[in-house]
């Protein structure tokens, strides 16, 4: 269950270089901080391949964060301001490339610090390079707890654990069951990608079910491989199970493919969720509004949090100003806040020394756009951020209001799904 303190808070690859404003001739020497003319921060993202859509979203968040700093003359480091340059490489959505490019950034390009890539399996592999080179590595794209159970000192993650995502979804569902809107026990079809991310989602749901004293029964428990093309056999098992709840964990491409086949197969469950996926504009465009209505998603951030003011509102306003009025999704928000966390630690260190910055990241306590309003990397969670998720639901009018937790809800959840109510 959500800790009580959280509720209180509510009250060869393509090379892209983001030019630093006023960087001058800053590449002469990096032998000492006094000689630095700029900060070079390296990163890879999946700009092509299976995760390219999301990689592009993270790039938008990075770009905004770097632009804001450079507009102010650079990052304050001690008594100097240093422009910041993002050296961004395309890891093509593959582990081997993500690893080799991280090594290149550290040992050939001589960047000062690293921002991480997107997708847990890529972050897990790539972060090993940072640890081996004692290079602070801040990522907003890896939510699997396995990444943070290795005792690494230089790896910091902004995505709260995926186990908590599954647990949060079940808390919303449990409220509906207790209100008599779902049968007791409710039957669950649980399907999950065969990755650390998927296994964490499964564990979060299972742990909740095990503690619910007979309120739920898992009738399907099946994994699938990433980048699938045909989920027919899996969905056939879901259909035959007569489940009340269809809970899937999937990355965006698999969500789109699976939901298209789900609709074609005539499936309809009283509750349907694809974990963190559901409200993305790209999915609505691909599937049609009528085919995504009712889907629940538990996400790390929502633009609706801007209604509370503070850093979230400032970020949404800045993003819309830069990107022609388009509202950000959680992907851009996490990219932006990842860069901002690293910038904050460098400023607090007053130095570009890796150990000094690593120490400040480990002790970080900053106001944040994230749910709960604070960001830290607690040692007890392996330097993985820990904060509440918000649950959204797609509505026929195209909106996706927050429906849980009640303290930040912007709309009322509809259960059972009206498409499927009998």
């Amino acid at each position: 269950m959500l800790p009580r303190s959280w509720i209180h808070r509510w009250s060869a690859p393509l090379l892209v270089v983001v030019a630093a404003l006023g960087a001058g001739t800053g590449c002469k020497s990096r032998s000492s901080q006094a000689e630095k003319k700029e900060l070079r921060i390296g990163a890879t993202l999946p700009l092509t391949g299976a995760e390219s859509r999301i990689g592009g979203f993270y790039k938008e968040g990075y770009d905004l964060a770097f632009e804001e700093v450079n507009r102010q003359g650079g990052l304050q480091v001690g008594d100097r301001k240093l422009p910041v340059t993002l050296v961004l490489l395309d890891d093509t959505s593959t582990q081997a490339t993500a690893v080799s490019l991280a090594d290149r950034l550290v040992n050939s390009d001589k960047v000062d610090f690293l921002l991480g890539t997107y997708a847990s399996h890529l972050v897990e592999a790539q972060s090993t390079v940072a640890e081996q080179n004692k290079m602070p590595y801040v990522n907003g794209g890896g939510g699997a707890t396995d990444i943070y159970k290795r005792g690494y000192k230089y790896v910091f993650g902004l995505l709260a654990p995926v186990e908590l995502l599954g647990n949060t979804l079940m808390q919303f569902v449990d409220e509906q069951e207790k209100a008599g809107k779902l049968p007791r026990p409710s039957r669950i079809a649980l399907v999950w990608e065969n990755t650390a991310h998927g296994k964490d989602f499964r564990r979060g749901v299972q742990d909740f079910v095990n503690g619910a004293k007979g309120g739920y029964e898992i009738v399907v428990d099946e994994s699938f491989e990433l980048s699938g093309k045909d989920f027919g056999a899996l969905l056939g098992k879901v259909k035959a199970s007569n489940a009340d709840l269809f809970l899937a964990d999937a990355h965006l491409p698999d969500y789109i493919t699976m939901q298209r086949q789900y609709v074609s197969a005539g499936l309809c469950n009283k509750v349907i969720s694809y974990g963190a996926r559901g409200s993305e504009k790209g999915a609505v465009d691909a599937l049609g509004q009528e085919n995504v209505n009712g889907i629940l998603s538990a996400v790390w951030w929502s633009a609706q949090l801007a209604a509370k003011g503070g850093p979230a509102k400032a970020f949404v306003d800045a993003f819309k100003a830069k990107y022609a009025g388009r509202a950000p999704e959680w992907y851009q928000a996490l990219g932006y806040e990842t860069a901002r966390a690293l910038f904050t630690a460098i400023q607090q260190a007053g130095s570009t020394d890796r150990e000094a910055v690593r120490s400040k990241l480990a002790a970080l306590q900053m106001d944040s756009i994230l749910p709960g309003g604070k960001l830290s990397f607690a040692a007890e969670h392996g330097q993985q951020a820990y904060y509440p998720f918000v649950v959204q639901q797609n509505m026929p009018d195209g909106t996706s209001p927050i429906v849980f937790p009640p303290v930040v809800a912007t709309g009322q959840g509809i259960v059972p799904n009206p498409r499927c109510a009998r």
Side-chain angles (χ1 to χ4, degrees), residues 23-257:
T25 58
C27 297
K28 290 180 181 177
S29 172
R30 294 181 173 79
S31 60
S32 72
Q33 182 175 323
E35 295 174 337
K36 280 188 179 294
K37 304 298 183 183
E38 65 174 350
L39 275 175
R40 286 166 54 83
I41 297 176
T44 80
L45 284 172
L47 301 176
T48 57
E51 301 291 354
S52 60
R53 181 192 293 271
I54 307 306
F57 290 162
Y58 270 78
K59 181 181 181 298
E60 289 179 337
Y62 285 172
D63 287 348
L64 177 59
F66 277 73
E67 180 182 287
E68 286 182 348
V69 167
N70 285 326
R71 193 183 298 127
Q72 298 170 10
L75 191 67
Q76 190 72 44
V77 183
D79 60 358
R80 307 176 60 211
K81 278 197 171 184
L82 295 177
V84 289
T85 297
L86 175 63
V87 183
L88 181 62
L89 305 176
D90 177 15
D91 60 38
T92 70
S93 306
T94 59
Q95 283 184 321
T97 304
V99 170
S100 65
L101 291 183
D103 183 77
R104 167 182 158 179
L105 286 166
V106 174
N107 295 305
S108 296
D109 296 332
K110 303 296 183 182
V111 299
D112 296 294
F113 302 100
L114 286 175
L115 297 176
T117 185
Y118 168 74
S120 289
H121 64 294
L122 299 182
V123 170
E124 185 171 15
Q126 185 181 77
S127 58
T128 299
V129 175
E131 189 70 16
Q132 289 171 345
N133 287 276
K134 298 184 177 181
M135 168 74 79
Y137 176 94
V138 188
N139 84 88
T145 55
D146 281 359
I147 298 169
Y148 309 98
K149 291 179 177 178
R150 299 173 294 179
Y152 284 6
K153 293 175 56 180
Y154 295 85
V155 178
F156 301 86
L158 274 81
L159 287 185
V162 178
E163 289 179 26
L164 185 57
L165 186 160
N167 181 280
T168 304
L169 272 173
M170 287 304 301
Q171 288 185 60
F172 170 77
V173 167
D174 200 51
E175 284 195 352
Q176 309 309 308
E177 188 185 270
K178 288 176 178 175
K181 297 179 181 180
L182 292 169
R184 180 179 175 87
S186 287
R187 296 162 58 85
I188 301 174
L190 179 60
V191 302
W192 39 280
E193 63 180 42
N194 188 22
T195 63
H197 186 287
K199 292 172 184 176
D200 280 355
F201 178 81
R202 178 197 190 203
R203 190 179 303 115
V205 174
Q206 286 181 326
D207 287 350
F208 190 96
V209 168
N210 291 338
K213 299 179 180 179
Y216 302 92
E217 179 186 1
I218 296 176
V219 293
V220 174
D221 184 5
E222 295 280 342
S223 67
F224 59 88
E225 300 304 315
L226 281 171
S227 304
K229 302 301 181 186
D230 184 2
F231 297 105
L234 178 63
L235 292 173
K237 293 180 181 179
V238 173
K239 190 170 188 177
S241 72
N242 196 31
D244 302 295
L245 282 59
F246 174 68
L247 303 181
D249 174 71
H251 278 69
L252 184 60
D254 287 334
Y255 153 48
I256 292 173
T257 300

